[in-house]
Amino acid sequence: MIRVVRVGPRPLPAPGPIPLPGRPQRGKPFRVLVLGGARSGKSVTAERLLAQRDQVDYVACGPAADGTDPSWAERLRVHRDRRPAHWTTLETLDVAGVLAEIPPTRQAVPVLVDCLSTWLAGVMDDCGVWAEAAGTGAAGTGAAGTGAAGTGAAAARTRADKEVASRVDELFDAWRSTRRHVVAVSNEVGSGVVPATVSGGRFRDELGVLNARIAAECEQVWLCVAGIARRIR
């Protein structure tokens, strides 16, 4: 499901747009990946790359604020306040659909995906990966359990893993074949603290592989560190 969100007139913050070396041509792919750690300036950089465009389809992949996490609600508010009024916000995990289905009126409209990290977390949640990870060791003896309960849990984990792989492949195929100008944001997780949990390690590894696959099919890749953006491809 795609939820369209309308916002009021708000300008992009200084220091203004970043010129894109190489001019995107209509009907030809121009794919950009912007990587960075937490609070590195990656989202602002992606927005500045498209600041001079008349229209932008902004794909917000994170969960909506539900009142249970004030810090997340504040982050969403900051992002919304930064978005210009002439951008269209789409709240959805169906990024592949946005990239693949191009109505004639939207062919020249670029896409900003923010971000692949929240997209992957949402997909893993939808597929039941977190539930299966939490249930590991809950039945039977040992880490995976024994008997019927252990067999059922193993089958559920296998099913969840296959669903995640299928969704990731779907996104990658859409990214590789799209003819839209698209800028995607993602977290660079390979340089951070080693996750203390199995689920955290699983997410880090899945995101690292996804970032590498997406980067391999990009015309440009940018890396943000301490608010400084540098093009590395």
Side-chain angles (χ1 to χ4, degrees):
M1 181 183 72
I2 297 177
R3 180 168 170 249
V4 179
V5 180
R6 304 296 181 189
V7 297
R10 298 180 180 108
L12 283 170
I18 298 176
L20 276 171
R23 190 181 183 89
Q25 299 181 23
R26 186 170 183 174
K28 293 186 177 181
F30 197 87
R31 298 152 298 191
V32 181
L33 177 63
V34 181
L35 294 166
R39 303 297 194 272
S40 63
K42 57 189 181 297
S43 292
V44 170
T45 296
E47 292 162 8
R48 290 173 62 199
L49 288 171
L50 296 175
Q52 293 182 316
R53 301 301 292 266
D54 292 335
Q55 298 181 74
V56 173
D57 284 345
Y58 183 103
V59 183
C61 303
D66 59 5
T68 62
D69 188 343
S71 62
W72 177 250
E74 175 62 15
R75 291 184 67 178
L76 293 182
R77 185 196 64 77
V78 170
H79 277 246
R80 289 193 184 111
D81 287 351
R82 219 167 46 214
R83 253 171 261 159
H86 55 272
W87 289 13
T88 299
T89 300
L90 309 174
E91 294 184 344
T92 183
L93 288 179
D94 187 19
V95 178
V98 174
L99 297 180
E101 299 174 9
I102 313 176
T105 57
R106 309 301 291 176
Q107 287 181 355
V109 178
V111 179
L112 197 162
V113 180
D114 195 357
C115 66
L116 295 180
S117 311
T118 53
W119 176 85
L120 180 62
V123 165
M124 294 176 77
D125 189 28
D126 281 354
C127 295
V129 171
W130 307 132
E132 294 307 323
T136 299
T141 303
T146 59
T151 301
R157 285 193 295 274
T158 299
R159 183 166 57 251
D161 291 347
K162 288 182 177 179
E163 290 177 3
V164 169
S166 176
R167 296 276 292 274
V168 169
D169 287 344
E170 180 186 31
L171 172 65
F172 176 71
D173 290 343
W175 178 273
R176 184 168 53 181
S177 62
T178 190
R179 288 296 176 262
R180 301 186 74 171
H181 175 192
V182 54
V183 177
V185 178
S186 190
N187 285 79
E188 174 49 61
V189 294
S191 302
V193 176
V194 175
T197 64
V198 173
S199 57
R202 167 74 185 278
F203 178 75
R204 175 203 58 190
D205 293 347
E206 292 280 356
L207 183 59
V209 172
L210 174 61
N211 287 344
R213 293 180 69 183
I214 294 296
E217 297 292 335
C218 284
E219 280 63 51
Q220 293 185 9
V221 178
W222 293 69
L223 179 64
C224 298
V225 180
I228 301 170
R230 287 292 180 264
R231 182 181 168 193
I232 58 176
R233 167 183 282 180

